[in-house]
Amino acid sequence: MQVCRAEYRAIGRFVEQLRPTRQCMKTLQTQFPHLPPSTLLSIFSQEYQKRMKRSMGRHHAPDVVKAYYQRYRSEAKTRPTAPLLLELANQVDLSPALLARLIVECFLEEREASVPASRHILNNMLREPYSIPDLLLAKHVEQCTVNDCCYGPLVDCIKHAIGLEHEDLLRDKLRERSLSFLDENQLRVKGYDKTPDIILEVPIAVDGHIVHWIESKASFGDDHSHRTYLNEQFWSYCNRFGPGLVIYWYGFVSELDCQRDRGILLRDGFPSDIVTLCQGPAQSRV
């Protein structure tokens, strides 16, 4: 799925008003029915994370964090069954999972003022809310984790699993075409420190462009993420291994596929128009 930059910006403007809940995805699908739900979720997640980064300093100011915690403790006494943290997150425009993290951190600091909460203990409590020695707070933290589609330990696990699933899909596609390759794990054994997901032992051609390596991205390729990947990964791969192919499984901004002459080809799925080199009289096969 390719989206032109103008449409992507229209989606970006629309999601500014949304919060990271399941309902927001229904709203997005109603507004943009021609786009797959997975593409919309990826776009929303990336745009929402940009929004959170822009406002992070304001939410993490000590006096602001203290006010959030005091408000939660006060309302927990009068409305214990209400989804307090979810309501507060919505009102201050902060990710529920990120707010839950701030609240648990304050709780631990209040409980053991002489011993700062370690990151390990904090992370464990967010992963297993009912290990928090306050059952009401545990319930509210769990609500935040379950209802946040962009942040939190549950989302991290899902993203990791989806990334691995698409890497497996890429390897399966390569095997179906009988293409010889080395994956990231095999390359690390050989001593490579920073590599693409796949290096082809015999190059292929896609759209008339030679491909030596393939990188799998289980996300949507927008301007910001693609620029970051170019600087941190793709140009390095080109310099070390030659031209390659990047697969954004959930689509990308169509104007970004402009670096072919410099060695980077973009696709939104495994290409069907592959030309492979083979031995013997035949020079190529599709």
Side-chain angles (χ1 to χ4, degrees), residues 17-265:
Q17 62 183 305
L18 301 179
R19 301 293 185 266
T21 64
R22 291 189 178 90
Q23 183 58 44
C24 85
M25 293 312 303
K26 295 179 181 178
T27 303
L28 271 175
Q29 290 170 38
T30 300
Q31 186 71 18
F32 304 98
H34 60 291
L35 296 177
S38 57
T39 295
L40 289 172
L41 176 58
S42 185
I43 291 175
F44 174 77
S45 179
Q46 290 170 184
E47 288 299 307
Y48 187 76
Q49 288 173 23
K50 293 176 195 174
R51 194 162 101 209
M52 289 300 97
K53 288 177 182 177
R54 290 194 299 267
S55 64
M56 201 62 73
R58 171 169 59 87
H59 292 299
H60 277 72
D63 58 330
V64 173
V65 174
K66 184 177 180 180
Y68 290 164
Y69 184 63
Q70 289 178 340
R71 177 174 169 182
Y72 165 73
R73 297 300 283 179
S74 175
E75 294 192 3
K77 295 176 182 178
T78 58
R79 299 192 302 133
T81 60
L84 301 176
L85 290 183
L86 286 175
E87 291 176 356
L88 179 56
N90 184 58
Q91 290 168 12
V92 302
D93 192 16
L94 178 61
S95 152
L98 294 182
L99 177 62
R101 186 180 188 88
L102 293 177
I103 298 300
V104 172
E105 194 168 12
C106 286
F107 167 77
L108 292 174
E109 289 174 357
E110 180 183 71
R111 190 167 178 265
E112 299 183 21
S114 60
V115 182
S118 72
R119 184 178 295 272
H120 176 71
I121 292 175
L122 179 59
N123 288 339
N124 280 345
M125 287 186 175
L126 294 171
R127 282 193 294 266
E128 300 288 342
Y130 285 95
S131 65
I132 299 172
D134 180 322
L135 291 181
L136 185 58
L137 177 57
K139 172 187 172 184
H140 291 140
V141 169
E142 183 182 48
Q143 287 177 339
C144 289
T145 300
V146 171
N147 287 282
D148 194 324
C149 65
C150 293
Y151 284 96
L154 180 60
V155 171
D156 290 341
C157 289
I158 292 172
K159 286 183 176 179
H160 181 67
I162 290 174
L164 294 178
E165 179 183 359
H166 283 82
E167 289 175 13
D168 286 341
L169 174 61
L170 175 57
R171 286 190 287 265
D172 289 343
K173 293 291 186 181
L174 291 167
R175 293 187 185 104
E176 287 175 8
R177 299 298 298 265
S178 300
L179 298 174
S180 181
F181 65 90
L182 297 173
D183 63 23
E184 196 172 15
N185 294 326
Q186 293 169 312
L187 291 166
R188 284 177 181 167
V189 171
K190 289 179 174 289
Y192 290 92
D193 57 342
K194 190 174 183 181
T195 68
D197 293 316
I198 296 293
I199 289 183
L200 298 164
E201 294 190 296
V202 178
I204 61 175
V206 178
D207 281 354
H209 295 268
I210 299 298
V211 170
H212 290 266
W213 54 268
I214 305 176
E215 179 73 5
S216 169
K217 296 295 183 187
S219 62
F220 185 89
D222 66 346
D223 283 272
H224 176 76
S225 61
H226 185 65
R227 182 168 58 250
T228 301
Y229 288 139
L230 281 171
N231 294 331
E232 296 182 358
Q233 297 179 347
F234 302 159
W235 292 134
S236 174
Y237 299 161
C238 281
N239 291 335
R240 296 177 68 184
F241 307 113
L245 167 67
V246 178
I247 301 177
Y248 284 111
W249 294 99
Y250 296 150
F252 58 89
V253 173
S254 55
E255 288 89 342
L256 294 177
D257 191 16
C258 61
Q259 305 286 357
R260 296 186 174 198
D261 292 342
R262 299 183 64 186
I264 296 177
L265 174 67

